[in-house]
Amino acid sequence: MSPSSAPRRPGEPALAALGLGGPDPDPADASPHTFPDGGRWRVEIPSVEGPEALTAVLTEAAALDVPVHRVSQGSGVWMLTDAEITEMVRATAERDVELCLFTGPRGTWDTGASTRTDSRGAGLRARGHDAVAGCVEDAVRATSLGVGCLLVADEGVLWTLHRARTRGIIPADTTLKVSALIGPVNPAAYAVHEGLGADSLNVPSDLTLQHLTEIRRVSGAPMDMYVEAPDDLGGYVRMYEVAELIRRGAPLYLKFGLAKAPSIYPSGLHLRETVLSTARERVRRGRLVLDLLARHGADGGMSPLGSRLPGELRRFACPAD
C-alpha cells in the first residue's frame, strides 16, 4: 500500500449504496515515513513475561500464522534470572524476533505514592538517583546477556542510556523503546523523546487520527500503539481503524493488549496460568487484526520478518567528556 492510497474502509460499499458513504481520505494525511526496510508496519506481542510465556507466544504464532517482529516484557529485567534472560535471548534469536525487556524500578514500584493522588503527581518515572541507577544496572546486565532492546519509562533514564550506548557502555545497536506509561501526546513531545534517544515510542491508544498525522509532520521515529489497550491504559479497542492507523502513523508497531484482563505486573508463579492464557490470547487478537486487514485489502506494506532497526533519527548532541 503506498503512503497516499487507501484500502477499502469498513462497511463503505454498503453505506455508499444507502447514500451514507464517507468522504474520501485526504492523501495529505498519509504518513510519508517508513521503516528503513521500506515496510510501514510491524507486529509486537507485549506482556511476554518470561521463557514459558515466550514459548506460548511463539507456539501460538506458528499455529495461527501470525508474523512477530518483536516481543516485549513489562515486569522488568530485575524480575528475571540470568538463565531466564539467556533462554529468552536464545529462543528469539532462533526465530529472528526482537526481544525487549523493561528497565528498573518506576512509579509505584518503589516508595512513591504521589501517582495515586488525584493529580497523579510525579508520574510513573524513576524517582531519585537510586532508581536511575537500578535502570542502568538492568540495562548493562540485560545487554551483556544479549538483549538488544530496552523498554524505558523515564526521560532521564532514556537520555542516560542513549549516552551510554554512544560511549560503548552498552552496545551501540541497542534500541530504546519508550513505554506507554509516559507516551508523548503531541508532536513537540514526540520530537523531544526522539532527540533524547528513543528508537520506538508508545503513544496512548486514545490519540485521534489527526494527532497521528500531526506527529508525522515532525518526526519519522517508529511509533508503537496498542490496537487493543489493557484496562489500566484505557481499555480502548480500535481494530476497525488499523488500516487508517497505519496510513497515518507509519512506521507503526501494532501491539495487541487485552481489555478486561487481570494485571500481571510484576509477574511470577502466582500468576502463571493468567500469564500464559493472556499471552496466547494476545496472539489470537493479532490474527483477528491481520484477517481484518486482509479482508480490506490493507495487509500490504509489512516489514520483512527479522527487521528491528529504526533507521536514521534526529538526536540532541551528547555533552562532551
Side-chain angles (χ1 to χ4, degrees):
M1 184 175 68
S2 68
S4 60
S5 66
R8 178 177 73 79
R9 288 170 291 170
E12 187 61 24
L15 289 171
L18 297 171
L20 298 172
D24 291 335
D26 184 350
D29 291 337
S31 169
H33 305 290
T34 67
F35 288 107
D37 52 49
R40 294 179 58 77
W41 57 279
R42 296 174 180 170
V43 171
E44 175 179 337
I45 305 298
S47 304
V48 182
E49 298 306 294
E52 194 174 10
L54 176 60
T55 297
V57 164
L58 296 176
T59 300
E60 196 74 1
L64 298 180
D65 193 24
V66 174
V68 178
H69 295 82
R70 174 198 280 165
V71 295
S72 56
Q73 175 250 19
S75 295
V77 173
W78 58 339
M79 295 297 294
L80 296 168
T81 66
D82 284 6
E84 288 171 327
I85 293 173
T86 300
E87 185 176 346
M88 294 179 78
V89 168
R90 177 193 57 76
T92 50
E94 286 177 353
R95 293 161 179 81
D96 217 3
V97 173
E98 183 175 33
L99 172 65
C100 193
L101 301 183
F102 221 136
T103 51
R106 69 264 185 191
T108 54
W109 292 16
D110 58 14
T111 58
S114 56
T115 56
R116 300 190 184 101
T117 65
D118 289 343
S119 69
R120 301 292 188 268
L124 291 166
R125 288 171 168 79
R127 292 164 47 86
H129 172 85
D130 288 350
V132 173
C135 291
V136 172
E137 172 76 13
D138 275 357
V140 172
R141 175 177 165 231
T143 55
S144 72
L145 294 170
V147 175
C149 180
L150 300 170
L151 191 50
V152 178
D154 181 274
E155 294 88 344
V157 172
L158 175 63
W159 180 236
T160 300
L161 294 182
H162 173 58
R163 293 178 60 199
R165 67 182 172 185
T166 65
R167 292 279 303 275
I169 297 170
I170 61 176
D173 65 348
T174 302
T175 52
L176 303 175
K177 170 178 160 65
V178 170
S179 166
L181 299 176
I182 64 163
V185 295
N186 63 67
Y190 199 94
V192 166
H193 280 84
E194 179 186 355
L196 291 172
D199 299 295
S200 181
L201 295 90
N202 274 280
V203 295
S205 294
D206 64 346
L207 291 192
T208 67
L209 296 170
Q210 181 60 29
H211 290 151
L212 302 190
T213 294
E214 292 166 356
I215 286 171
R216 283 301 175 224
R217 287 173 180 157
V218 303
S219 175
M223 182 182 295
D224 310 344
M225 192 176 211
Y226 279 102
V227 174
E228 178 178 348
D231 285 350
D232 59 359
L233 293 176
Y236 310 104
V237 181
R238 302 187 69 170
M239 287 189 178
Y240 273 115
E241 292 181 89
V242 172
E244 189 67 0
L245 294 175
I246 293 170
R247 194 179 77 88
R248 302 264 198 140
L252 181 67
Y253 279 92
L254 302 177
K255 295 180 61 177
F256 306 106
L258 289 178
K260 304 299 182 286
S263 174
I264 57 174
Y265 302 147
S267 181
L269 286 176
H270 60 305
L271 296 170
R272 177 179 179 273
E273 295 306 319
T274 300
V275 166
L276 296 181
S277 62
T278 54
R280 288 189 288 266
E281 184 58 26
R282 287 184 181 89
V283 178
R284 179 177 172 274
R285 292 291 214 270
R287 182 68 266 163
L288 294 175
V289 169
L290 294 174
D291 288 346
L292 186 151
L293 286 173
R295 287 196 300 273
H296 294 165
D299 53 341
M302 185 187 79
S303 281
L305 289 176
S307 302
R308 65 176 290 269
L309 296 179
E312 284 293 321
L313 300 176
R314 291 175 291 186
R315 308 301 195 196
F316 299 134
C318 287
D321 293 340

